[in-house]
Amino acid sequence: LRSLPPPAGHSTCPRDRTANMTVTNTYLEKLDLKITKKGKNTTDGLLLSGVEFKLEKMDPTGKWFEQVGSQKTNDDGTATFEKLGQGIYRLTETKTAEGYNLLSHSILIRIDTSNQVQWKMENEEEKETEGEWSKIDLNVSQQGEKEIPLTIYNTKQLILPATGGSG
């Protein structure tokens, strides 16, 4: 093996030249979405069990959502979707507790590249979102994992008395 001279007009690069570079890798933890479901207009702030949700994530093109999971609230009114990465998610209530109204709109949840979390309501009929994004402060669980706390209230169904008669 032998070294060839550089082409005409080019010089050799001394081998003792070095370059210093700093590379920073950023690891972003996956976040858990912890939903707490409560009854609104109740005297005791009743926790609602058996409420079902589906969670979808927006595809990278921003044109459609793909389902990533479904959960049902347990006896303490909570349901958790685990290990969510960056992106926009749509949370939809698919079944509510008996005697309560189903949540009328989906909730959009955005996790950005620095793990900041925001939410807003989505109007399904118009396929538009309502209002500005609102920040959600993360909780740290007893195990040290970061959770997105989201409390959702459902109102009781209004039962109207029967009136009038036949005729």
PDB file of all heavy atoms in Angstrom, residues 104-127:
ATOM      1  N   SER A 104     -69.815  15.237  24.176  1.00  0.00           N
ATOM      2  CA  SER A 104     -70.265  15.586  22.821  1.00  0.00           C
ATOM      3  C   SER A 104     -69.134  15.798  21.815  1.00  0.00           C
ATOM      4  O   SER A 104     -69.360  15.683  20.618  1.00  0.00           O
ATOM      5  CB  SER A 104     -71.157  16.824  22.867  1.00  0.00           C
ATOM      6  OG  SER A 104     -70.458  17.913  23.417  1.00  0.00           O
ATOM      7  N   HIS A 105     -67.936  16.125  22.269  1.00  0.00           N
ATOM      8  CA  HIS A 105     -66.812  16.363  21.358  1.00  0.00           C
ATOM      9  C   HIS A 105     -65.598  15.563  21.808  1.00  0.00           C
ATOM     10  O   HIS A 105     -65.450  15.238  22.980  1.00  0.00           O
ATOM     11  CB  HIS A 105     -66.429  17.849  21.331  1.00  0.00           C
ATOM     12  CG  HIS A 105     -67.515  18.752  20.852  1.00  0.00           C
ATOM     13  ND1 HIS A 105     -68.065  18.677  19.597  1.00  0.00           N
ATOM     14  CD2 HIS A 105     -68.175  19.760  21.476  1.00  0.00           C
ATOM     15  CE1 HIS A 105     -69.005  19.593  19.461  1.00  0.00           C
ATOM     16  NE2 HIS A 105     -69.095  20.261  20.597  1.00  0.00           N
ATOM     17  N   SER A 106     -64.728  15.290  20.854  1.00  0.00           N
ATOM     18  CA  SER A 106     -63.454  14.646  21.168  1.00  0.00           C
ATOM     19  C   SER A 106     -62.502  15.687  21.742  1.00  0.00           C
ATOM     20  O   SER A 106     -62.680  16.890  21.552  1.00  0.00           O
ATOM     21  CB  SER A 106     -62.844  14.035  19.912  1.00  0.00           C
ATOM     22  OG  SER A 106     -63.667  13.009  19.403  1.00  0.00           O
ATOM     23  N   ILE A 107     -61.466  15.190  22.422  1.00  0.00           N
ATOM     24  CA  ILE A 107     -60.438  16.057  22.994  1.00  0.00           C
ATOM     25  C   ILE A 107     -59.139  15.801  22.242  1.00  0.00           C
ATOM     26  O   ILE A 107     -58.717  14.654  22.094  1.00  0.00           O
ATOM     27  CB  ILE A 107     -60.251  15.753  24.499  1.00  0.00           C
ATOM     28  CG1 ILE A 107     -61.554  16.014  25.255  1.00  0.00           C
ATOM     29  CG2 ILE A 107     -59.096  16.573  25.071  1.00  0.00           C
ATOM     30  CD1 ILE A 107     -61.534  15.539  26.696  1.00  0.00           C
ATOM     31  N   LEU A 108     -58.524  16.870  21.749  1.00  0.00           N
ATOM     32  CA  LEU A 108     -57.227  16.755  21.098  1.00  0.00           C
ATOM     33  C   LEU A 108     -56.142  17.029  22.130  1.00  0.00           C
ATOM     34  O   LEU A 108     -56.255  17.960  22.929  1.00  0.00           O
ATOM     35  CB  LEU A 108     -57.103  17.751  19.945  1.00  0.00           C
ATOM     36  CG  LEU A 108     -58.048  17.543  18.768  1.00  0.00           C
ATOM     37  CD1 LEU A 108     -57.872  18.660  17.752  1.00  0.00           C
ATOM     38  CD2 LEU A 108     -57.813  16.187  18.119  1.00  0.00           C
ATOM     39  N   ILE A 109     -55.110  16.196  22.112  1.00  0.00           N
ATOM     40  CA  ILE A 109     -53.989  16.330  23.040  1.00  0.00           C
ATOM     41  C   ILE A 109     -52.716  16.390  22.205  1.00  0.00           C
ATOM     42  O   ILE A 109     -52.475  15.507  21.377  1.00  0.00           O
ATOM     43  CB  ILE A 109     -53.939  15.142  24.020  1.00  0.00           C
ATOM     44  CG1 ILE A 109     -55.235  15.105  24.835  1.00  0.00           C
ATOM     45  CG2 ILE A 109     -52.713  15.230  24.922  1.00  0.00           C
ATOM     46  CD1 ILE A 109     -55.467  13.816  25.559  1.00  0.00           C
ATOM     47  N   ARG A 110     -51.922  17.420  22.428  1.00  0.00           N
ATOM     48  CA  ARG A 110     -50.687  17.596  21.661  1.00  0.00           C
ATOM     49  C   ARG A 110     -49.493  17.484  22.592  1.00  0.00           C
ATOM     50  O   ARG A 110     -49.400  18.192  23.594  1.00  0.00           O
ATOM     51  CB  ARG A 110     -50.700  18.963  20.965  1.00  0.00           C
ATOM     52  CG  ARG A 110     -49.424  19.258  20.187  1.00  0.00           C
ATOM     53  CD  ARG A 110     -49.531  20.504  19.345  1.00  0.00           C
ATOM     54  NE  ARG A 110     -49.730  21.691  20.163  1.00  0.00           N
ATOM     55  CZ  ARG A 110     -50.062  22.878  19.671  1.00  0.00           C
ATOM     56  NH1 ARG A 110     -50.278  23.031  18.386  1.00  0.00           N
ATOM     57  NH2 ARG A 110     -50.203  23.918  20.469  1.00  0.00           N
ATOM     58  N   ILE A 111     -48.562  16.585  22.250  1.00  0.00           N
ATOM     59  CA  ILE A 111     -47.297  16.443  22.975  1.00  0.00           C
ATOM     60  C   ILE A 111     -46.211  16.903  22.013  1.00  0.00           C
ATOM     61  O   ILE A 111     -46.007  16.296  20.963  1.00  0.00           O
ATOM     62  CB  ILE A 111     -47.049  14.978  23.406  1.00  0.00           C
ATOM     63  CG1 ILE A 111     -48.219  14.463  24.252  1.00  0.00           C
ATOM     64  CG2 ILE A 111     -45.730  14.868  24.161  1.00  0.00           C
ATOM     65  CD1 ILE A 111     -48.153  12.974  24.546  1.00  0.00           C
ATOM     66  N   ASP A 112     -45.518  18.000  22.366  1.00  0.00           N
ATOM     67  CA  ASP A 112     -44.528  18.528  21.434  1.00  0.00           C
ATOM     68  C   ASP A 112     -43.155  17.889  21.651  1.00  0.00           C
ATOM     69  O   ASP A 112     -42.988  17.010  22.497  1.00  0.00           O
ATOM     70  CB  ASP A 112     -44.487  20.058  21.477  1.00  0.00           C
ATOM     71  CG  ASP A 112     -43.893  20.635  22.759  1.00  0.00           C
ATOM     72  OD1 ASP A 112     -43.235  19.904  23.527  1.00  0.00           O
ATOM     73  OD2 ASP A 112     -44.075  21.843  22.987  1.00  0.00           O
ATOM     74  N   THR A 113     -42.167  18.360  20.903  1.00  0.00           N
ATOM     75  CA  THR A 113     -40.837  17.742  20.920  1.00  0.00           C
ATOM     76  C   THR A 113     -40.070  17.973  22.212  1.00  0.00           C
ATOM     77  O   THR A 113     -39.021  17.375  22.418  1.00  0.00           O
ATOM     78  CB  THR A 113     -39.991  18.242  19.736  1.00  0.00           C
ATOM     79  OG1 THR A 113     -39.943  19.672  19.787  1.00  0.00           O
ATOM     80  CG2 THR A 113     -40.579  17.790  18.416  1.00  0.00           C
ATOM     81  N   SER A 114     -40.588  18.829  23.098  1.00  0.00           N
ATOM     82  CA  SER A 114     -39.947  19.001  24.403  1.00  0.00           C
ATOM     83  C   SER A 114     -40.838  18.470  25.529  1.00  0.00           C
ATOM     84  O   SER A 114     -40.661  18.822  26.690  1.00  0.00           O
ATOM     85  CB  SER A 114     -39.585  20.471  24.639  1.00  0.00           C
ATOM     86  OG  SER A 114     -40.741  21.273  24.591  1.00  0.00           O
ATOM     87  N   ASN A 115     -41.799  17.626  25.161  1.00  0.00           N
ATOM     88  CA  ASN A 115     -42.747  16.997  26.097  1.00  0.00           C
ATOM     89  C   ASN A 115     -43.654  17.996  26.813  1.00  0.00           C
ATOM     90  O   ASN A 115     -44.129  17.728  27.906  1.00  0.00           O
ATOM     91  CB  ASN A 115     -42.043  16.089  27.107  1.00  0.00           C
ATOM     92  CG  ASN A 115     -41.947  14.661  26.601  1.00  0.00           C
ATOM     93  OD1 ASN A 115     -42.367  14.351  25.487  1.00  0.00           O
ATOM     94  ND2 ASN A 115     -41.400  13.783  27.407  1.00  0.00           N
ATOM     95  N   GLN A 116     -43.897  19.131  26.189  1.00  0.00           N
ATOM     96  CA  GLN A 116     -44.920  20.050  26.688  1.00  0.00           C
ATOM     97  C   GLN A 116     -46.259  19.531  26.162  1.00  0.00           C
ATOM     98  O   GLN A 116     -46.362  19.118  25.010  1.00  0.00           O
ATOM     99  CB  GLN A 116     -44.669  21.474  26.190  1.00  0.00           C
ATOM    100  CG  GLN A 116     -43.345  22.051  26.655  1.00  0.00           C
ATOM    101  CD  GLN A 116     -43.287  22.193  28.170  1.00  0.00           C
ATOM    102  OE1 GLN A 116     -44.185  22.729  28.793  1.00  0.00           O
ATOM    103  NE2 GLN A 116     -42.216  21.683  28.755  1.00  0.00           N
ATOM    104  N   VAL A 117     -47.286  19.567  27.011  1.00  0.00           N
ATOM    105  CA  VAL A 117     -48.583  18.982  26.652  1.00  0.00           C
ATOM    106  C   VAL A 117     -49.656  20.059  26.659  1.00  0.00           C
ATOM    107  O   VAL A 117     -49.720  20.881  27.570  1.00  0.00           O
ATOM    108  CB  VAL A 117     -48.964  17.850  27.635  1.00  0.00           C
ATOM    109  CG1 VAL A 117     -50.278  17.212  27.241  1.00  0.00           C
ATOM    110  CG2 VAL A 117     -47.863  16.802  27.693  1.00  0.00           C
ATOM    111  N   GLN A 118     -50.498  20.027  25.624  1.00  0.00           N
ATOM    112  CA  GLN A 118     -51.616  20.952  25.512  1.00  0.00           C
ATOM    113  C   GLN A 118     -52.856  20.191  25.043  1.00  0.00           C
ATOM    114  O   GLN A 118     -52.738  19.098  24.486  1.00  0.00           O
ATOM    115  CB  GLN A 118     -51.294  22.068  24.513  1.00  0.00           C
ATOM    116  CG  GLN A 118     -50.111  22.914  24.924  1.00  0.00           C
ATOM    117  CD  GLN A 118     -49.754  23.925  23.867  1.00  0.00           C
ATOM    118  OE1 GLN A 118     -49.739  23.625  22.689  1.00  0.00           O
ATOM    119  NE2 GLN A 118     -49.453  25.141  24.286  1.00  0.00           N
ATOM    120  N   TRP A 119     -54.030  20.794  25.254  1.00  0.00           N
ATOM    121  CA  TRP A 119     -55.273  20.154  24.837  1.00  0.00           C
ATOM    122  C   TRP A 119     -56.263  21.202  24.331  1.00  0.00           C
ATOM    123  O   TRP A 119     -56.153  22.383  24.620  1.00  0.00           O
ATOM    124  CB  TRP A 119     -55.901  19.370  25.981  1.00  0.00           C
ATOM    125  CG  TRP A 119     -56.545  20.264  27.017  1.00  0.00           C
ATOM    126  CD1 TRP A 119     -55.931  20.895  28.055  1.00  0.00           C
ATOM    127  CD2 TRP A 119     -57.918  20.646  27.080  1.00  0.00           C
ATOM    128  NE1 TRP A 119     -56.832  21.641  28.764  1.00  0.00           N
ATOM    129  CE2 TRP A 119     -58.062  21.507  28.191  1.00  0.00           C
ATOM    130  CE3 TRP A 119     -59.043  20.342  26.323  1.00  0.00           C
ATOM    131  CZ2 TRP A 119     -59.288  22.064  28.546  1.00  0.00           C
ATOM    132  CZ3 TRP A 119     -60.260  20.891  26.670  1.00  0.00           C
ATOM    133  CH2 TRP A 119     -60.370  21.735  27.774  1.00  0.00           C
ATOM    134  N   LYS A 120     -57.256  20.738  23.554  1.00  0.00           N
ATOM    135  CA  LYS A 120     -58.417  21.530  23.177  1.00  0.00           C
ATOM    136  C   LYS A 120     -59.502  20.604  22.645  1.00  0.00           C
ATOM    137  O   LYS A 120     -59.240  19.439  22.334  1.00  0.00           O
ATOM    138  CB  LYS A 120     -58.082  22.636  22.191  1.00  0.00           C
ATOM    139  CG  LYS A 120     -57.666  22.192  20.806  1.00  0.00           C
ATOM    140  CD  LYS A 120     -57.425  23.445  19.965  1.00  0.00           C
ATOM    141  CE  LYS A 120     -56.769  23.158  18.654  1.00  0.00           C
ATOM    142  NZ  LYS A 120     -56.590  24.389  17.873  1.00  0.00           N
ATOM    143  N   MET A 121     -60.725  21.127  22.562  1.00  0.00           N
ATOM    144  CA  MET A 121     -61.860  20.332  22.101  1.00  0.00           C
ATOM    145  C   MET A 121     -61.906  20.325  20.576  1.00  0.00           C
ATOM    146  O   MET A 121     -61.512  21.289  19.925  1.00  0.00           O
ATOM    147  CB  MET A 121     -63.177  20.901  22.641  1.00  0.00           C
ATOM    148  CG  MET A 121     -63.279  20.905  24.155  1.00  0.00           C
ATOM    149  SD  MET A 121     -63.172  19.276  24.917  1.00  0.00           S
ATOM    150  CE  MET A 121     -64.713  18.543  24.419  1.00  0.00           C
ATOM    151  N   GLU A 122     -62.419  19.224  20.007  1.00  0.00           N
ATOM    152  CA  GLU A 122     -62.589  19.106  18.567  1.00  0.00           C
ATOM    153  C   GLU A 122     -64.084  19.027  18.272  1.00  0.00           C
ATOM    154  O   GLU A 122     -64.791  18.221  18.873  1.00  0.00           O
ATOM    155  CB  GLU A 122     -61.892  17.850  18.039  1.00  0.00           C
ATOM    156  CG  GLU A 122     -62.098  17.644  16.554  1.00  0.00           C
ATOM    157  CD  GLU A 122     -61.486  16.347  16.043  1.00  0.00           C
ATOM    158  OE1 GLU A 122     -61.683  15.307  16.686  1.00  0.00           O
ATOM    159  OE2 GLU A 122     -60.835  16.396  14.996  1.00  0.00           O
ATOM    160  N   ASN A 123     -64.558  19.839  17.344  1.00  0.00           N
ATOM    161  CA  ASN A 123     -65.951  19.813  16.933  1.00  0.00           C
ATOM    162  C   ASN A 123     -66.084  18.841  15.771  1.00  0.00           C
ATOM    163  O   ASN A 123     -65.694  19.136  14.655  1.00  0.00           O
ATOM    164  CB  ASN A 123     -66.405  21.214  16.529  1.00  0.00           C
ATOM    165  CG  ASN A 123     -67.875  21.276  16.201  1.00  0.00           C
ATOM    166  OD1 ASN A 123     -68.481  20.287  15.816  1.00  0.00           O
ATOM    167  ND2 ASN A 123     -68.448  22.454  16.352  1.00  0.00           N
ATOM    168  N   GLU A 124     -66.640  17.653  16.021  1.00  0.00           N
ATOM    169  CA  GLU A 124     -66.736  16.597  15.008  1.00  0.00           C
ATOM    170  C   GLU A 124     -67.586  17.006  13.809  1.00  0.00           C
ATOM    171  O   GLU A 124     -67.272  16.665  12.682  1.00  0.00           O
ATOM    172  CB  GLU A 124     -67.329  15.332  15.628  1.00  0.00           C
ATOM    173  CG  GLU A 124     -66.318  14.462  16.328  1.00  0.00           C
ATOM    174  CD  GLU A 124     -65.298  13.867  15.388  1.00  0.00           C
ATOM    175  OE1 GLU A 124     -65.658  13.372  14.304  1.00  0.00           O
ATOM    176  OE2 GLU A 124     -64.114  13.901  15.734  1.00  0.00           O
ATOM    177  N   GLU A 125     -68.692  17.722  14.046  1.00  0.00           N
ATOM    178  CA  GLU A 125     -69.596  18.047  12.950  1.00  0.00           C
ATOM    179  C   GLU A 125     -68.921  18.923  11.902  1.00  0.00           C
ATOM    180  O   GLU A 125     -69.131  18.768  10.718  1.00  0.00           O
ATOM    181  CB  GLU A 125     -70.858  18.756  13.474  1.00  0.00           C
ATOM    182  CG  GLU A 125     -71.767  17.881  14.313  1.00  0.00           C
ATOM    183  CD  GLU A 125     -71.292  17.735  15.750  1.00  0.00           C
ATOM    184  OE1 GLU A 125     -70.645  18.656  16.297  1.00  0.00           O
ATOM    185  OE2 GLU A 125     -71.546  16.664  16.332  1.00  0.00           O
ATOM    186  N   GLU A 126     -68.118  19.857  12.361  1.00  0.00           N
ATOM    187  CA  GLU A 126     -67.490  20.796  11.446  1.00  0.00           C
ATOM    188  C   GLU A 126     -66.038  20.425  11.143  1.00  0.00           C
ATOM    189  O   GLU A 126     -65.382  21.081  10.361  1.00  0.00           O
ATOM    190  CB  GLU A 126     -67.546  22.205  12.036  1.00  0.00           C
ATOM    191  CG  GLU A 126     -68.972  22.678  12.263  1.00  0.00           C
ATOM    192  CD  GLU A 126     -69.018  23.993  13.005  1.00  0.00           C
ATOM    193  OE1 GLU A 126     -67.966  24.640  13.157  1.00  0.00           O
ATOM    194  OE2 GLU A 126     -70.113  24.365  13.444  1.00  0.00           O
ATOM    195  N   LYS A 127     -65.524  19.377  11.787  1.00  0.00           N
ATOM    196  CA  LYS A 127     -64.127  18.949  11.631  1.00  0.00           C
ATOM    197  C   LYS A 127     -63.163  20.100  11.899  1.00  0.00           C
ATOM    198  O   LYS A 127     -62.146  20.251  11.253  1.00  0.00           O
ATOM    199  CB  LYS A 127     -63.868  18.351  10.247  1.00  0.00           C
ATOM    200  CG  LYS A 127     -64.554  17.035  10.033  1.00  0.00           C
ATOM    201  CD  LYS A 127     -63.969  15.977  10.924  1.00  0.00           C
ATOM    202  CE  LYS A 127     -64.616  14.639  10.654  1.00  0.00           C
ATOM    203  NZ  LYS A 127     -64.392  13.678  11.670  1.00  0.00           N
TER     204      LYS A 127
END
